[in-house]
Amino acid sequence: MAGDKAVAQVWASRWIFILAATGSAVGLGNIWKFPYMTGVYGGGAFVLIYLFCIALVGMPVMLAETLIGRRGRHSPVVSLQNLAVERGASVRWAWAAVMGLICGLLILSFYSVVAGWSLSYIIDMGKGSFTGISGDAAGAAFGALTADPVKLIIFHTIFMAMTAWVITRGVVAGLERALRLMMPLLFLLLVVLLGYSVTTGHFMDGVRFLFHFDPAQVKDGLLPALGHAFFTLSVGVGSIMAFGAYMPRRAPIGATIITVGLLDTVVALAAGLALFPIVFAAGLEPGAGPGLMFVTLPVAFGNIAFGQVMGVVFFVLVALAAWSSSISMLEPAVAYFSDRHAGGRARFTWLLALICWVLGIGTVLSFNEWAELKFFVTGADGFALWAWGVEGGKTFFDLVDYLTSRIMLPLGGLVFVLFAGWVLGREVVREELELKNPLFLNLLLVLLRVVAPLGIAVVFVAELLK
Ligand code: TRP
Protein backbone atom coordinates (compact mmCIF):
# COMPACT_ATOMS: atom_id res chain seq x y z
CA MET A 1 0.00 0.00 0.00
CA ALA A 2 1.15 3.50 -0.69
CA GLY A 3 2.62 5.34 2.22
CA ASP A 4 3.27 2.52 4.65
CA LYS A 5 6.64 3.82 5.64
CA ALA A 6 6.97 7.01 7.56
CA VAL A 7 8.71 10.01 6.02
CA ALA A 8 12.43 9.47 5.80
CA GLN A 9 13.75 12.51 7.61
CA VAL A 10 12.91 13.97 10.96
CA TRP A 11 14.27 17.42 11.62
CA ALA A 12 17.01 17.76 14.16
CA SER A 13 15.18 20.22 16.37
CA ARG A 14 12.03 22.20 16.70
CA TRP A 15 13.96 25.29 15.61
CA ILE A 16 13.98 23.98 12.11
CA PHE A 17 10.21 23.63 12.22
CA ILE A 18 9.94 27.18 13.54
CA LEU A 19 12.20 28.40 10.76
CA ALA A 20 10.38 26.49 8.05
CA ALA A 21 6.95 27.47 9.33
CA THR A 22 7.97 31.09 9.84
CA GLY A 23 9.60 31.08 6.43
CA SER A 24 6.34 29.84 5.01
CA ALA A 25 4.16 32.24 6.98
CA VAL A 26 6.19 35.42 6.53
CA GLY A 27 6.07 36.46 2.92
CA LEU A 28 4.26 38.65 0.46
CA GLY A 29 1.17 38.17 2.59
CA ASN A 30 2.69 40.29 5.32
CA ILE A 31 4.56 42.93 3.38
CA TRP A 32 2.51 43.25 0.21
CA LYS A 33 -0.98 41.89 0.83
CA PHE A 34 -1.70 42.91 4.42
CA PRO A 35 -1.03 46.64 3.86
CA TYR A 36 -2.95 46.82 0.60
CA MET A 37 -5.95 44.94 1.99
CA THR A 38 -5.95 47.16 5.07
CA GLY A 39 -6.03 50.11 2.69
CA VAL A 40 -8.81 48.70 0.53
CA TYR A 41 -10.99 47.72 3.50
CA GLY A 42 -10.60 51.02 5.25
CA GLY A 43 -8.10 50.49 8.06
CA GLY A 44 -8.69 49.81 11.75
CA ALA A 45 -11.77 47.62 11.61
CA PHE A 46 -10.08 45.26 9.16
CA VAL A 47 -6.94 45.09 11.32
CA LEU A 48 -8.90 44.33 14.47
CA ILE A 49 -10.98 41.58 12.86
CA TYR A 50 -7.82 40.18 11.31
CA LEU A 51 -6.16 39.97 14.74
CA PHE A 52 -9.20 38.19 16.18
CA CYS A 53 -9.26 35.79 13.26
CA ILE A 54 -5.57 35.00 13.79
CA ALA A 55 -6.04 34.27 17.48
CA LEU A 56 -9.36 32.44 17.44
CA VAL A 57 -9.34 30.70 14.07
CA GLY A 58 -5.92 30.79 12.41
CA MET A 59 -3.91 29.59 15.39
CA PRO A 60 -6.27 26.68 16.17
CA VAL A 61 -6.02 25.62 12.53
CA MET A 62 -2.24 25.78 12.73
CA LEU A 63 -2.38 23.68 15.87
CA ALA A 64 -4.64 21.17 14.14
CA GLU A 65 -2.39 20.96 11.09
CA THR A 66 0.76 20.47 13.16
CA LEU A 67 -0.91 17.76 15.26
CA ILE A 68 -2.27 15.89 12.26
CA GLY A 69 1.01 16.20 10.39
CA ARG A 70 3.17 14.95 13.20
CA ARG A 71 0.81 12.15 14.09
CA GLY A 72 0.37 11.10 10.47
CA ARG A 73 4.01 11.49 9.39
CA HIS A 74 3.13 11.56 5.69
CA SER A 75 1.96 13.95 3.03
CA PRO A 76 -1.25 15.68 4.16
CA VAL A 77 -3.57 13.53 2.04
CA VAL A 78 -2.08 10.22 3.18
CA SER A 79 -1.81 11.37 6.82
CA LEU A 80 -5.50 12.22 6.90
CA GLN A 81 -6.44 8.94 5.22
CA ASN A 82 -4.36 6.84 7.58
CA LEU A 83 -5.50 8.65 10.70
CA ALA A 84 -9.15 8.48 9.64
CA VAL A 85 -8.88 4.73 9.14
CA GLU A 86 -7.07 4.33 12.45
CA ARG A 87 -9.86 6.22 14.24
CA GLY A 88 -12.63 4.40 12.39
CA ALA A 89 -13.73 7.51 10.50
CA SER A 90 -14.44 8.01 6.81
CA VAL A 91 -11.47 8.45 4.48
CA ARG A 92 -13.43 11.27 2.87
CA TRP A 93 -11.89 13.58 5.46
CA ALA A 94 -8.85 13.47 3.21
CA TRP A 95 -10.74 15.34 0.49
CA ALA A 96 -9.97 18.53 2.35
CA ALA A 97 -6.28 17.86 1.83
CA VAL A 98 -6.86 17.17 -1.85
CA MET A 99 -8.65 20.50 -2.12
CA GLY A 100 -5.77 22.06 -0.16
CA LEU A 101 -3.22 20.76 -2.56
CA ILE A 102 -5.10 22.25 -5.49
CA CYS A 103 -5.52 25.50 -3.57
CA GLY A 104 -1.77 25.66 -2.93
CA LEU A 105 -1.14 25.39 -6.67
CA LEU A 106 -3.68 28.12 -7.43
CA ILE A 107 -2.12 30.47 -4.89
CA LEU A 108 1.35 29.79 -6.20
CA SER A 109 0.21 30.77 -9.69
CA PHE A 110 -0.36 34.42 -8.77
CA TYR A 111 2.16 34.53 -5.92
CA SER A 112 4.93 33.85 -8.38
CA VAL A 113 3.82 36.75 -10.56
CA VAL A 114 3.91 39.19 -7.66
CA ALA A 115 7.22 37.81 -6.43
CA GLY A 116 8.40 38.51 -9.98
CA TRP A 117 7.53 42.18 -9.47
CA SER A 118 9.93 42.21 -6.52
CA LEU A 119 12.66 40.69 -8.69
CA SER A 120 12.11 43.42 -11.22
CA TYR A 121 12.27 46.06 -8.48
CA ILE A 122 15.63 44.72 -7.29
CA ILE A 123 17.02 45.67 -10.69
CA ASP A 124 15.29 49.05 -10.93
CA MET A 125 16.35 49.90 -7.41
CA GLY A 126 19.93 48.95 -8.22
CA LYS A 127 19.94 51.09 -11.37
CA GLY A 128 18.97 54.09 -9.25
CA SER A 129 15.73 54.59 -11.19
CA PHE A 130 13.94 55.73 -8.04
CA THR A 131 16.35 58.34 -6.72
CA GLY A 132 14.42 61.36 -5.51
CA ILE A 133 11.18 59.95 -6.92
CA SER A 134 7.73 61.39 -6.12
CA GLY A 135 4.60 59.41 -5.33
CA ASP A 136 3.09 60.06 -8.76
CA ALA A 137 6.21 59.02 -10.60
CA ALA A 138 6.45 55.85 -8.52
CA GLY A 139 2.84 55.08 -9.44
CA ALA A 140 3.65 55.59 -13.11
CA ALA A 141 6.67 53.27 -12.82
CA PHE A 142 4.53 50.53 -11.34
CA GLY A 143 1.93 51.07 -14.04
CA ALA A 144 4.58 50.72 -16.72
CA LEU A 145 5.80 47.43 -15.24
CA THR A 146 2.36 45.84 -15.01
CA ALA A 147 1.49 47.04 -18.52
CA ASP A 148 4.34 44.96 -19.94
CA PRO A 149 3.27 41.29 -20.14
CA VAL A 150 6.58 40.08 -21.59
CA LYS A 151 8.59 41.49 -18.72
CA LEU A 152 6.12 40.12 -16.18
CA ILE A 153 6.26 36.67 -17.74
CA ILE A 154 10.04 36.64 -17.70
CA PHE A 155 10.23 37.38 -13.96
CA HIS A 156 7.33 35.02 -13.23
CA THR A 157 9.25 32.30 -15.05
CA ILE A 158 12.44 32.97 -13.09
CA PHE A 159 10.64 32.86 -9.76
CA MET A 160 8.71 29.69 -10.59
CA ALA A 161 11.93 28.00 -11.62
CA MET A 162 13.60 29.05 -8.37
CA THR A 163 10.73 27.54 -6.41
CA ALA A 164 10.73 24.25 -8.28
CA TRP A 165 14.49 24.00 -8.02
CA VAL A 166 14.53 24.16 -4.20
CA ILE A 167 11.76 21.60 -3.97
CA THR A 168 13.53 19.09 -6.17
CA ARG A 169 16.42 19.25 -3.73
CA GLY A 170 14.22 18.43 -0.73
CA VAL A 171 12.85 21.15 1.46
CA VAL A 172 15.12 21.03 4.42
CA ALA A 173 18.67 21.50 3.25
CA GLY A 174 18.95 24.91 1.64
CA LEU A 175 16.03 26.49 3.35
CA GLU A 176 17.39 26.35 6.84
CA ARG A 177 20.63 28.11 6.07
CA ALA A 178 18.96 30.85 4.06
CA LEU A 179 16.29 31.56 6.66
CA ARG A 180 18.73 31.92 9.54
CA LEU A 181 20.20 34.99 7.88
CA MET A 182 17.15 36.30 6.11
CA MET A 183 14.67 36.67 8.95
CA PRO A 184 16.81 38.86 11.22
CA LEU A 185 17.82 41.02 8.25
CA LEU A 186 14.23 41.48 7.24
CA PHE A 187 13.35 42.62 10.75
CA LEU A 188 16.28 45.01 10.73
CA LEU A 189 15.28 46.66 7.46
CA LEU A 190 11.69 46.95 8.57
CA VAL A 191 12.98 48.88 11.56
CA VAL A 192 14.96 51.15 9.23
CA LEU A 193 11.81 51.74 7.18
CA LEU A 194 9.89 52.48 10.35
CA GLY A 195 12.57 55.02 11.19
CA TYR A 196 12.01 56.68 7.84
CA SER A 197 8.26 56.76 8.21
CA VAL A 198 8.66 58.49 11.58
CA THR A 199 10.60 61.27 9.82
CA THR A 200 7.81 61.83 7.27
CA GLY A 201 5.82 63.70 9.89
CA HIS A 202 2.79 61.52 9.13
CA PHE A 203 3.56 58.64 11.44
CA MET A 204 0.55 59.28 13.64
CA ASP A 205 -1.73 59.38 10.59
CA GLY A 206 -0.51 55.89 9.81
CA VAL A 207 -1.07 54.72 13.37
CA ARG A 208 -4.57 56.18 13.39
CA PHE A 209 -5.40 54.58 10.06
CA LEU A 210 -4.26 51.15 11.25
CA PHE A 211 -5.78 51.21 14.70
CA HIS A 212 -8.77 53.51 14.63
CA PHE A 213 -11.80 51.29 14.87
CA ASP A 214 -14.81 52.32 12.82
CA PRO A 215 -17.77 49.92 13.32
CA ALA A 216 -19.26 50.98 9.96
CA GLN A 217 -16.45 49.13 8.18
CA VAL A 218 -16.90 45.81 9.94
CA LYS A 219 -19.39 44.31 7.53
CA ASP A 220 -17.22 44.52 4.41
CA GLY A 221 -14.05 43.47 6.16
CA LEU A 222 -15.21 40.19 7.74
CA LEU A 223 -14.57 37.60 5.06
CA PRO A 224 -11.49 39.37 3.67
CA ALA A 225 -9.96 39.49 7.15
CA LEU A 226 -10.74 35.84 7.84
CA GLY A 227 -9.36 34.82 4.48
CA HIS A 228 -6.24 36.84 5.03
CA ALA A 229 -5.67 35.35 8.48
CA PHE A 230 -5.48 31.96 6.77
CA PHE A 231 -3.31 33.26 3.97
CA THR A 232 -0.79 34.98 6.18
CA LEU A 233 -0.36 32.00 8.51
CA SER A 234 -0.14 29.58 5.56
CA VAL A 235 -2.94 27.48 6.98
CA GLY A 236 -5.90 25.77 5.32
CA VAL A 237 -3.85 24.16 2.57
CA GLY A 238 -1.79 21.56 4.40
CA SER A 239 1.56 23.36 4.13
CA ILE A 240 2.05 23.41 7.87
CA MET A 241 0.75 19.85 8.04
CA ALA A 242 3.40 18.80 5.53
CA PHE A 243 6.07 20.43 7.71
CA GLY A 244 4.57 18.94 10.87
CA ALA A 245 5.35 15.51 9.44
CA TYR A 246 9.05 16.26 9.85
CA MET A 247 8.72 17.54 13.41
CA PRO A 248 10.51 15.64 16.19
CA ARG A 249 8.26 13.61 18.45
CA ARG A 250 9.19 15.41 21.62
CA ALA A 251 9.05 19.02 20.45
CA PRO A 252 6.49 21.21 22.24
CA ILE A 253 3.89 22.08 19.61
CA GLY A 254 2.08 24.81 21.53
CA ALA A 255 5.05 27.08 22.25
CA THR A 256 6.34 26.47 18.75
CA ILE A 257 3.30 27.59 16.84
CA ILE A 258 2.74 30.58 19.11
CA THR A 259 6.24 31.73 18.17
CA VAL A 260 5.38 31.39 14.49
CA GLY A 261 2.06 33.22 14.85
CA LEU A 262 3.61 36.08 16.80
CA LEU A 263 6.50 36.56 14.39
CA ASP A 264 4.09 36.61 11.48
CA THR A 265 1.81 39.15 13.10
CA VAL A 266 4.68 41.41 14.14
CA VAL A 267 6.05 41.53 10.60
CA ALA A 268 2.64 42.39 9.13
CA LEU A 269 1.97 45.17 11.64
CA ALA A 270 5.48 46.55 11.20
CA ALA A 271 5.01 46.59 7.43
CA GLY A 272 1.71 48.41 7.84
CA LEU A 273 3.23 50.92 10.26
CA ALA A 274 6.11 51.53 7.89
CA LEU A 275 4.05 51.93 4.72
CA PHE A 276 1.02 54.00 5.68
CA PRO A 277 2.84 57.10 6.93
CA ILE A 278 4.64 57.12 3.56
CA VAL A 279 1.29 56.75 1.80
CA PHE A 280 -0.06 59.83 3.56
CA ALA A 281 3.14 61.85 3.32
CA ALA A 282 3.43 61.28 -0.43
CA GLY A 283 -0.25 61.99 -1.02
CA LEU A 284 -0.98 58.47 -2.23
CA GLU A 285 -4.26 56.60 -2.07
CA PRO A 286 -4.47 54.02 0.82
CA GLY A 287 -6.97 51.98 -1.19
CA ALA A 288 -4.72 51.79 -4.24
CA GLY A 289 -4.78 47.98 -4.23
CA PRO A 290 -2.04 45.50 -5.15
CA GLY A 291 0.39 48.23 -6.19
CA LEU A 292 0.52 49.86 -2.76
CA MET A 293 3.85 48.47 -1.60
CA PHE A 294 5.46 48.87 -5.00
CA VAL A 295 4.57 52.54 -5.09
CA THR A 296 5.37 53.52 -1.49
CA LEU A 297 8.71 51.76 -1.05
CA PRO A 298 10.46 53.48 -3.97
CA VAL A 299 9.36 56.80 -2.47
CA ALA A 300 10.94 55.83 0.85
CA PHE A 301 14.16 54.42 -0.53
CA GLY A 302 14.42 57.07 -3.22
CA ASN A 303 14.55 59.79 -0.59
CA ILE A 304 16.85 58.58 2.17
CA ALA A 305 20.60 58.31 2.58
CA PHE A 306 21.91 54.97 1.29
CA GLY A 307 18.40 54.35 0.01
CA GLN A 308 19.62 52.75 -3.18
CA VAL A 309 21.60 50.06 -1.36
CA MET A 310 18.97 49.49 1.31
CA GLY A 311 16.27 49.34 -1.34
CA VAL A 312 18.10 46.62 -3.20
CA VAL A 313 18.60 44.66 0.00
CA PHE A 314 14.97 45.12 0.95
CA PHE A 315 13.60 43.81 -2.33
CA VAL A 316 16.06 40.92 -2.21
CA LEU A 317 14.66 40.09 1.23
CA VAL A 318 11.10 40.35 -0.02
CA ALA A 319 11.95 37.98 -2.86
CA LEU A 320 13.61 35.58 -0.42
CA ALA A 321 10.67 35.74 1.96
CA ALA A 322 8.39 35.02 -0.98
CA TRP A 323 10.63 32.15 -2.01
CA SER A 324 10.50 30.44 1.37
CA SER A 325 6.70 30.80 1.24
CA SER A 326 6.18 29.62 -2.31
CA ILE A 327 8.03 26.39 -1.56
CA SER A 328 5.44 25.51 1.04
CA MET A 329 2.59 25.99 -1.43
CA LEU A 330 3.98 23.36 -3.75
CA GLU A 331 5.21 20.98 -1.06
CA PRO A 332 1.85 19.32 -0.20
CA ALA A 333 1.22 18.38 -3.82
CA VAL A 334 4.76 17.19 -4.41
CA ALA A 335 4.73 15.25 -1.13
CA TYR A 336 1.48 13.59 -2.16
CA PHE A 337 2.77 12.37 -5.51
CA SER A 338 6.08 11.25 -4.07
CA ASP A 339 4.20 9.44 -1.31
CA ARG A 340 2.38 7.51 -4.03
CA HIS A 341 5.22 6.94 -6.45
CA ALA A 342 8.65 6.73 -4.93
CA GLY A 343 11.50 8.32 -6.83
CA GLY A 344 9.61 10.72 -9.03
CA ARG A 345 10.01 13.83 -6.90
CA ALA A 346 11.88 15.96 -9.39
CA ARG A 347 9.63 15.07 -12.30
CA PHE A 348 6.44 15.82 -10.36
CA THR A 349 7.85 19.08 -9.12
CA TRP A 350 8.62 20.40 -12.58
CA LEU A 351 5.29 19.21 -13.94
CA LEU A 352 3.29 20.88 -11.15
CA ALA A 353 5.36 24.05 -11.45
CA LEU A 354 4.57 24.09 -15.15
CA ILE A 355 0.85 23.92 -14.43
CA CYS A 356 1.14 26.82 -11.96
CA TRP A 357 3.20 28.75 -14.46
CA VAL A 358 0.53 28.46 -17.15
CA LEU A 359 -2.16 29.56 -14.70
CA GLY A 360 0.05 32.46 -13.69
CA ILE A 361 -0.05 33.77 -17.24
CA GLY A 362 -3.73 34.50 -16.58
CA THR A 363 -2.73 36.71 -13.65
CA VAL A 364 -0.07 38.45 -15.73
CA LEU A 365 -2.60 39.25 -18.46
CA SER A 366 -5.24 40.41 -15.98
CA PHE A 367 -3.04 43.49 -15.41
CA ASN A 368 -2.85 44.38 -19.08
CA GLU A 369 -4.29 42.53 -22.13
CA TRP A 370 -7.14 40.96 -20.16
CA ALA A 371 -7.80 43.87 -17.81
CA GLU A 372 -11.30 44.12 -19.31
CA LEU A 373 -12.10 40.46 -18.84
CA LYS A 374 -14.29 40.18 -15.75
CA PHE A 375 -15.68 37.17 -13.93
CA PHE A 376 -18.65 36.90 -11.57
CA VAL A 377 -20.19 40.13 -12.78
CA THR A 378 -23.34 41.34 -11.07
CA GLY A 379 -24.64 44.34 -12.94
CA ALA A 380 -27.86 46.02 -13.98
CA ASP A 381 -28.84 43.07 -16.15
CA GLY A 382 -28.25 40.29 -13.65
CA PHE A 383 -25.35 37.93 -13.10
CA ALA A 384 -22.81 36.85 -15.68
CA LEU A 385 -20.11 34.24 -15.18
CA TRP A 386 -17.83 36.34 -17.30
CA ALA A 387 -18.05 39.41 -19.50
CA TRP A 388 -15.77 41.75 -21.41
CA GLY A 389 -15.40 45.46 -20.82
CA VAL A 390 -17.96 45.95 -18.07
CA GLU A 391 -17.90 47.72 -14.72
CA GLY A 392 -17.42 45.61 -11.59
CA GLY A 393 -16.68 41.91 -11.45
CA LYS A 394 -13.34 40.28 -10.84
CA THR A 395 -10.28 40.13 -13.03
CA PHE A 396 -8.59 36.76 -13.44
CA PHE A 397 -6.21 37.62 -10.59
CA ASP A 398 -9.07 38.77 -8.34
CA LEU A 399 -10.94 35.58 -9.15
CA VAL A 400 -8.11 33.22 -8.22
CA ASP A 401 -7.39 35.25 -5.09
CA TYR A 402 -11.07 35.19 -4.14
CA LEU A 403 -11.58 31.47 -4.71
CA THR A 404 -8.48 30.56 -2.70
CA SER A 405 -8.36 33.03 0.20
CA ARG A 406 -12.04 33.51 0.79
CA ILE A 407 -13.43 30.06 0.03
CA MET A 408 -10.93 27.23 -0.18
CA LEU A 409 -8.63 28.20 2.72
CA PRO A 410 -11.42 28.71 5.27
CA LEU A 411 -13.16 25.49 4.14
CA GLY A 412 -9.94 23.51 4.34
CA GLY A 413 -9.19 24.97 7.75
CA LEU A 414 -12.69 24.13 8.94
CA VAL A 415 -12.21 20.48 8.09
CA PHE A 416 -8.77 20.36 9.70
CA VAL A 417 -9.92 21.75 13.07
CA LEU A 418 -12.98 19.51 13.09
CA PHE A 419 -10.81 16.50 12.31
CA ALA A 420 -8.32 17.29 15.06
CA GLY A 421 -10.99 18.18 17.61
CA TRP A 422 -13.58 15.50 16.98
CA VAL A 423 -11.93 12.63 15.10
CA LEU A 424 -8.51 12.54 16.70
CA GLY A 425 -10.16 13.71 19.87
CA ARG A 426 -9.21 14.29 23.44
CA GLU A 427 -6.67 11.54 24.03
CA VAL A 428 -4.63 12.17 20.91
CA VAL A 429 -4.55 15.91 21.48
CA ARG A 430 -3.47 15.37 25.07
CA GLU A 431 -0.75 12.93 24.04
CA GLU A 432 0.63 15.04 21.20
CA LEU A 433 0.73 18.21 23.27
CA GLU A 434 1.86 16.42 26.43
CA LEU A 435 -0.65 18.43 28.37
CA LYS A 436 -0.80 17.71 32.06
CA ASN A 437 -3.19 20.47 32.97
CA PRO A 438 -6.78 19.34 32.24
CA LEU A 439 -8.08 22.89 32.25
CA PHE A 440 -5.72 23.86 29.48
CA LEU A 441 -6.61 20.76 27.50
CA ASN A 442 -10.31 21.53 27.76
CA LEU A 443 -9.71 25.07 26.64
CA LEU A 444 -7.82 23.92 23.56
CA LEU A 445 -10.47 21.35 22.75
CA VAL A 446 -13.15 24.00 22.94
CA LEU A 447 -11.11 26.14 20.56
CA LEU A 448 -10.69 23.28 18.09
CA ARG A 449 -14.17 21.83 18.34
CA VAL A 450 -16.35 24.89 18.74
CA VAL A 451 -14.78 28.34 18.64
CA ALA A 452 -12.78 28.05 15.43
CA PRO A 453 -15.46 26.19 13.41
CA LEU A 454 -18.14 28.55 14.65
CA GLY A 455 -16.01 31.56 13.79
CA ILE A 456 -15.63 30.36 10.21
CA ALA A 457 -19.33 29.53 9.94
CA VAL A 458 -20.43 32.90 11.29
CA VAL A 459 -18.27 34.81 8.82
CA PHE A 460 -19.56 32.72 5.90
CA VAL A 461 -23.16 33.25 6.93
CA ALA A 462 -22.61 36.98 7.45
CA GLU A 463 -21.12 37.18 3.97
CA LEU A 464 -24.08 35.37 2.40
CA LEU A 465 -26.55 37.66 4.14
CA LYS A 466 -24.80 40.80 2.97
N1 TRP B 1 1.75 32.85 4.27
C1 TRP B 1 2.44 33.23 3.08
C2 TRP B 1 2.49 34.74 3.01
O1 TRP B 1 1.92 35.38 3.84
C3 TRP B 1 1.80 32.63 1.85
C4 TRP B 1 1.66 31.15 1.92
C5 TRP B 1 2.65 30.23 1.97
C6 TRP B 1 0.45 30.43 1.95
N2 TRP B 1 2.11 28.96 2.03
C7 TRP B 1 0.78 29.06 2.01
C8 TRP B 1 -0.86 30.84 1.94
C9 TRP B 1 -0.21 28.13 2.07
C10 TRP B 1 -1.84 29.89 1.98
C11 TRP B 1 -1.53 28.55 2.06
O2 TRP B 1 3.07 35.29 2.12
Side-chain angles (χ1 to χ4, degrees):
M1 194 183 113
D4 274 341
K5 62 176 196 328
V7 285
Q9 346 144 258
V10 171
W11 290 346
S13 80
R14 78 183 178 108
W15 284 106
I16 306 182
F17 177 88
I18 293 189
L19 278 172
T22 311
S24 166
V26 174
L28 295 171
N30 307 62
I31 306 167
W32 162 71
K33 206 172 184 205
F34 171 74
Y36 100 66
M37 290 191 68
T38 304
V40 169
Y41 293 100
F46 175 82
V47 176
L48 190 69
I49 305 168
Y50 158 83
L51 291 174
F52 268 105
C53 289
I54 296 262
L56 296 179
V57 182
M59 292 310 293
V61 176
M62 193 185 283
L63 177 70
E65 285 200 27
T66 317
L67 274 175
I68 298 170
R70 192 170 74 173
R71 189 90 183 172
R73 287 253 180 264
H74 282 285
S75 72
V77 175
V78 176
S79 287
L80 276 173
Q81 281 172 345
N82 290 354
L83 290 174
V85 170
E86 194 183 302
R87 309 289 304 173
S90 161
V91 290
R92 289 200 202 105
W93 284 96
W95 288 359
V98 175
M99 180 182 72
L101 137 191
I102 296 168
C103 181
L105 299 178
L106 287 172
I107 293 178
L108 179 56
S109 79
F110 71 78
Y111 204 85
S112 164
V113 174
V114 179
W117 300 350
S118 318
L119 294 179
S120 164
Y121 268 62
I122 297 174
I123 297 173
D124 290 341
M125 214 65 236
K127 283 198 302 207
S129 320
F130 300 132
T131 311
I133 204 169
S134 70
D136 288 339
F142 178 71
L145 171 66
T146 48
D148 185 347
V150 176
K151 201 167 171 188
L152 297 185
I153 289 176
I154 291 173
F155 287 110
H156 165 50
T157 309
I158 296 173
F159 188 82
M160 196 61 89
M162 285 163 55
T163 303
W165 177 73
V166 178
I167 297 222
T168 57
R169 317 211 33 181
V171 210
V172 201
L175 199 68
E176 188 202 345
R177 236 168 307 137
L179 288 173
R180 282 231 162 116
L181 185 69
M182 187 188 97
M183 284 295 155
L185 257 180
L186 186 65
F187 276 108
L188 192 73
L189 274 185
L190 277 173
V191 173
V192 172
L193 269 180
L194 272 171
Y196 171 73
S197 62
V198 171
T199 67
T200 61
H202 286 76
F203 191 71
M204 287 320 287
D205 294 336
V207 172
R208 211 166 305 128
F209 184 74
L210 279 172
F211 299 113
H212 175 74
F213 177 73
D214 174 4
Q217 293 166 344
V218 169
K219 193 166 80 298
D220 290 333
L222 273 178
L223 184 60
L226 178 74
H228 188 62
F230 278 92
F231 188 92
T232 194
L233 293 175
S234 302
V235 295
V237 151
S239 293
I240 300 293
M241 202 183 291
F243 287 159
Y246 306 110
M247 201 186 192
R249 178 91 283 161
R250 301 204 49 86
I253 292 183
T256 306
I257 66 166
I258 287 174
T259 312
V260 177
L262 280 179
L263 285 172
D264 186 75
T265 309
V266 168
V267 173
L269 292 177
L273 276 176
L275 291 193
F276 279 107
I278 304 170
V279 169
F280 295 118
L284 299 165
E285 187 48 56
L292 191 73
M293 162 187 132
F294 293 94
V295 175
T296 42
L297 287 180
V299 174
F301 289 121
N303 292 292
I304 48 176
F306 310 109
Q308 195 170 334
V309 178
M310 283 196 292
V312 171
V313 176
F314 190 83
F315 278 105
V316 168
L317 290 174
V318 171
L320 286 174
W323 198 9
S324 62
S325 300
S326 62
I327 295 162
S328 73
M329 295 169 197
L330 202 50
E331 176 64 19
V334 172
Y336 172 69
F337 288 111
S338 6
D339 233 349
R340 299 261 134 168
H341 310 272
R345 191 171 169 99
R347 240 179 324 127
F348 293 126
T349 306
W350 288 107
L351 186 68
L352 291 167
L354 182 67
I355 295 171
C356 293
W357 180 83
V358 173
L359 275 168
I361 304 287
T363 289
V364 165
L365 296 177
S366 72
F367 287 95
N368 36 68
E369 312 295 331
W370 290 359
E372 297 295 314
L373 173 62
K374 300 292 182 57
F375 298 87
F376 291 11
V377 186
T378 40
D381 23 78
F383 177 84
L385 210 50
W386 61 276
W388 189 270
V390 292
E391 283 290 307
K394 300 182 189 331
T395 64
F396 186 86
F397 161 66
D398 295 334
L399 179 73
V400 180
D401 180 32
Y402 182 86
L403 289 177
T404 51
S405 282
R406 314 247 168 118
I407 298 175
M408 296 168 94
L409 292 181
L411 276 182
L414 177 64
V415 176
F416 297 155
V417 273
L418 289 176
F419 188 83
W422 295 102
V423 179
L424 292 185
R426 187 181 192 90
E427 269 320 292
V428 175
V429 174
R430 196 185 53 78
E431 243 173 73
E432 284 294 321
L433 295 179
E434 297 187 4
L435 279 179
K436 307 214 172 57
N437 185 338
L439 190 72
F440 210 58
L441 177 62
N442 286 336
L443 204 73
L444 280 178
L445 279 172
V446 170
L447 270 179
L448 288 173
R449 289 178 169 175
V450 185
V451 176
L454 208 63
I456 299 171
V458 165
V459 173
F460 271 143
V461 171
E463 182 72 13
L464 288 175
L465 293 179
K466 222 171 65 184

